[in-house]
Amino acid sequence: MWWEKAVFYEIYLPSFADSNGDGIGDFNGIKERLPYLKQLGIDALWLTPFYPSPKIDNGYDVSDYCDVDRQYGTLQDLEELIQVAKKSGMHVIIDVVFNHTSTQHPWFQSALQSTEDKKRDWYIWRDRPNNWESFFGGSAWEYDEKSQQYYYHSFAKEQADLNWHNPAVKHAIFQILDFWIKKGIDGFRFDVINNLTVSQDFKDNPVDETRRQIHQNDVNQPGVLAILKEINAYIKNCNPELFTVAEISSDDLKCIEQYVGAELFDTAFNFNLGSQEKLNLNYFASQYEAMNTAAEKLPTLFFNSHDMSRSWERLADKNVDVYYLLIVLLTINHGITFLFQGEELGLGDFLAANLTDIRDIQAKNKYFELLPSDGEVRAIAAANLVNRDRSRGMLPFNIKGWIGSAKVNESEKVIMAGYKALIALRHKEGPFLPLEKIQAENDLLSYWSGDIHVILNFSEKPRQIELLEDRPWQTLWSHNGPYLAKNKIYLPERAGWIGKRN
Ligand code: GLC
Ligand code: CA
């Protein structure tokens, strides 16, 4: 399928490219940047939510699934963007947020009218709350004065969870999928899709020894897979070439992989790797090992998204060579590559200096939670640790922004050249077979994929390795001057080599 050796590029709409100077990225801005993305080697775009939204969670609170927010342009502008992208050979997938709607959505507004309303049961209501916590902090239940009931929201209180046990919800969602399929999109990214159903006995969640809640009864519930199979069947019946990728809110590989397979999603985001706080090669190797045994489960390869600190800071610790070697793991590897806007330029985080700089609701909640006990300075520092704005800084080719700018990297040209070369190599040699002989030792990582051998020396010391093959090697790519002598390879510090057996 077309996605197997593809490189996807996530566009966080408001921060990407602003065409009319109002400081907010838009469809026309993306259209103007298509040649830039094309020369980088991008095969597919993932557009984050562009629907009308009160923007409590910056678009992940949708108030109309079949329209666009005017701040990004018109529906026609989006249609044109899709057409132009496709003409230049790029696929377009869109983000769909079906776990919850904005409380401003007409469905929820209708449900608020009375307990007898036809849409009442499209949401989750209880007379009493249980102890379930929202993923943005605080109780997941909000009181509705009028009906004296509580509605459930696994994220912000302005994001009410849909009741997927009601088949009418599913039918409404199918119509929305149809609407976008007819517009010519090539697939969907499903937001927090393992949250779709909650346990029907509403038992309290347990807590761990540090009194943190274990989300046992509100995510990954029995019955969710059956619904997801129906959704996927619906899409694939329309067209088997439509691609589906799931966001599973977990970094546990076993949990993530349950959602991938012939009747389920084509793939899911591998947060077991992508969202790691530190570069730990032994851990990486163990995860690759596990990700490459289930042949029918095609993994995703990414180190960045709109929800986490940029890998330039988080994984590479601002070291260009380390960052460079990480590109190999993203591209010359078994799985589908997902880049996030600006990582090809090595952009750094945008850090809020005070509350007025913070846009992310999760960071705001943290700030207000800690302010009374810890004071301003500590509250800001703690908020920044969970602040998803870090990766959402405005891209540098914009003059102004709704948010501050992402930190520019002085080595951006070198980094960009690295991405281009490795994406081109991926297109030439991929798709890559599952990895074999994965080894990590003293910060040296090596693996095989078919006839391709990758050796990356992340350490600060030169290393010498025996190549256990005496066939001649063709060097496909190298970094920091490794050299081959007979069946030995010598790698200076932070050097990398990709070879192919002839
Ligand atoms: C996903 C999105 C995130 C959003 C959340 C709730 O995790 O990536 O940005 O806040 O879902 O919709
Ligand atoms: Ca704009």
Side-chain angles (χ1 to χ4, degrees):
M1 284 294 190
W2 62 265
W3 51 82
E4 279 163 43
K5 69 172 174 182
V7 177
F8 283 76
Y9 188 91
E10 179 190 353
I11 293 184
Y12 191 70
L13 251 112
S15 311
F16 183 58
D18 171 22
S19 70
N20 60 355
D22 64 358
I24 305 170
D26 45 52
F27 300 129
N28 287 335
I30 302 173
K31 203 169 74 189
E32 284 164 15
R33 293 275 152 189
L34 288 176
Y36 166 83
L37 297 172
K38 190 70 198 164
Q39 54 92 40
L40 177 61
I42 300 304
D43 303 292
L45 309 179
W46 150 22
L47 305 180
T48 56
F50 45 69
Y51 314 98
S53 158
K55 311 245 168 28
I56 298 295
D57 189 17
N58 216 13
Y60 284 90
D61 46 327
V62 177
S63 56
D64 181 352
Y65 289 108
C66 295
D67 199 357
V68 304
D69 201 295
R70 288 293 168 269
Q71 73 175 22
Y72 302 128
T74 62
L75 192 53
Q76 206 184 343
D77 293 334
L78 171 59
E79 285 172 333
E80 214 174 289
L81 165 64
I82 297 171
Q83 292 315 319
V84 180
K86 294 183 87 149
K87 261 198 207 115
S88 57
M90 277 184 254
H91 293 91
V92 180
I93 70 163
I94 62 171
D95 218 315
V96 280
V97 190
F98 293 150
N99 177 65
H100 44 264
T101 71
S102 160
T103 48
Q104 294 302 312
H105 194 291
W107 297 346
F108 190 77
Q109 287 299 312
S110 174
L112 277 181
Q113 295 308 310
S114 85
T115 52
E116 303 306 313
D117 188 90
K118 272 204 278 204
K119 296 280 191 309
R120 183 72 176 186
D121 187 48
W122 286 38
Y123 295 87
I124 302 165
W125 298 92
R126 305 284 290 166
D127 292 335
R128 276 179 216 297
N130 60 14
N131 80 339
W132 294 355
E133 279 173 9
S134 141
F135 288 90
F136 287 160
S139 169
W141 297 94
E142 183 70 11
Y143 188 57
D144 169 43
E145 202 75 49
K146 190 168 169 197
S147 63
Q148 301 184 7
Q149 283 194 318
Y150 294 79
Y151 67 86
Y152 177 64
H153 59 90
S154 46
F155 291 89
K157 67 177 192 311
E158 296 84 354
Q159 293 166 298
D161 278 48
L162 284 163
N163 175 17
W164 276 84
H165 290 281
N166 181 341
V169 168
K170 185 176 67 194
H171 293 299
I173 296 298
F174 284 171
Q175 282 177 15
I176 294 159
L177 291 171
D178 267 345
F179 176 87
W180 289 107
I181 292 170
K182 288 200 182 97
K183 297 271 177 242
I185 57 95
D186 300 293
F188 300 97
R189 178 258 188 199
F190 285 85
D191 192 61
V192 290
I193 205 68
N194 58 321
N195 290 28
L196 223 55
T197 55
V198 294
S199 101
Q200 291 302 283
D201 52 16
F202 293 91
K203 271 204 198 115
D204 275 358
N205 276 331
V207 289
D208 68 12
E209 24 344 309
T210 64
R211 293 175 57 210
R212 271 186 32 173
Q213 183 154 116
I214 302 169
H215 287 276
Q216 191 170 292
N217 302 316
D218 49 352
V219 293
N220 307 310
Q221 291 305 298
V224 69
L225 290 181
I227 293 175
L228 298 180
K229 280 182 186 166
E230 275 188 72
I231 295 179
N232 274 283
Y234 188 85
I235 294 171
K236 298 289 178 180
N237 276 339
C238 289
N239 179 357
E241 299 240 327
L242 288 167
F243 170 69
T244 61
V245 51
E247 186 205 27
I248 305 302
S249 49
S250 169
D251 55 10
D252 170 21
L253 180 63
K254 284 232 156 52
C255 173
I256 296 166
E257 280 187 341
Q258 294 173 62
Y259 292 90
V260 180
E263 297 183 301
L264 283 156
F265 295 97
D266 292 312
T267 189
F269 289 112
N270 282 94
F271 291 112
N272 55 311
L273 269 187
S275 59
Q276 286 306 300
E277 285 299 330
K278 276 207 303 277
L279 184 61
N280 173 342
L281 292 178
N282 291 327
Y283 171 80
F284 272 46
S286 71
Q287 294 302 303
Y288 286 136
E289 192 73 59
M291 284 156 69
N292 281 276
T293 47
E296 73 290 358
K297 315 244 184 215
L298 193 60
T300 49
L301 307 163
F302 68 95
F303 291 132
N304 289 282
S305 84
H306 66 287
D307 286 331
M308 55 181 92
S309 155
R310 286 184 176 273
S311 64
W312 169 250
E313 326 242 343
R314 188 166 41 87
L315 297 178
D317 204 10
K318 304 184 187 173
N319 181 296
V320 180
D321 292 310
V322 172
Y323 197 72
Y324 224 84
L325 298 182
L326 289 174
I327 313 172
V328 178
L329 300 181
L330 289 172
T331 51
I332 313 302
N333 198 337
H334 176 61
I336 309 174
T337 306
F338 278 86
L339 305 183
F340 175 61
Q341 61 186 32
E343 75 169 272
E344 74 281 11
L345 302 169
L347 293 183
D349 285 352
F350 159 68
L351 270 197
N354 49 48
L355 179 65
T356 47
D357 278 353
I358 301 182
R359 300 283 176 279
D360 176 21
I361 176 163
Q362 180 168 287
K364 277 188 202 162
N365 287 351
K366 192 50 128 198
Y367 174 86
F368 287 117
E369 181 195 322
L370 293 185
L371 188 65
S373 56
D374 291 35
E376 168 76 16
V377 175
R378 284 197 183 178
I380 283 287
N384 271 334
L385 287 180
V386 298
N387 193 352
R388 298 176 303 165
D389 291 343
R390 285 177 297 179
S391 61
R392 299 173 181 179
M394 205 71 190
L395 257 60
F397 37 68
N398 295 291
I399 299 158
K400 64 175 191 191
W402 64 283
I403 193 170
S405 294
K407 219 178 289 148
V408 172
N409 193 315
E410 49 186 42
S411 307
E412 67 171 45
K413 286 214 170 70
V414 179
I415 291 170
M416 176 83 165
Y419 273 89
K420 268 197 206 169
L422 283 158
I423 291 173
L425 187 59
R426 174 177 175 84
H427 288 148
K428 181 152 178 275
E429 301 288 342
F432 296 100
L433 295 170
L435 305 190
E436 291 171 319
K437 296 181 235 164
I438 304 159
Q439 280 181 348
E441 226 199 315
N442 299 330
D443 284 336
L444 186 107
L445 179 71
S446 68
Y447 55 81
W448 287 78
S449 166
D451 281 332
I452 296 198
H453 194 10
V454 173
I455 308 179
L456 306 171
N457 179 11
F458 281 91
S459 80
E460 288 168 358
K461 293 197 183 115
R463 302 286 296 275
Q464 183 177 304
I465 287 120
E466 294 226 0
L467 294 171
L468 302 168
E469 291 275 339
D470 36 11
R471 274 193 273 177
W473 288 95
Q474 179 196 353
T475 293
L476 296 178
W477 174 93
S478 68
H479 178 63
N480 274 352
Y483 64 85
L484 280 150
K486 275 201 159 170
N487 59 344
K488 280 204 179 113
I489 181 163
Y490 174 84
L491 292 112
E493 60 176 89
R494 292 189 168 139
W497 178 78
I498 304 173
K500 191 175 182 179
R501 279 193 293 211
N502 277 323

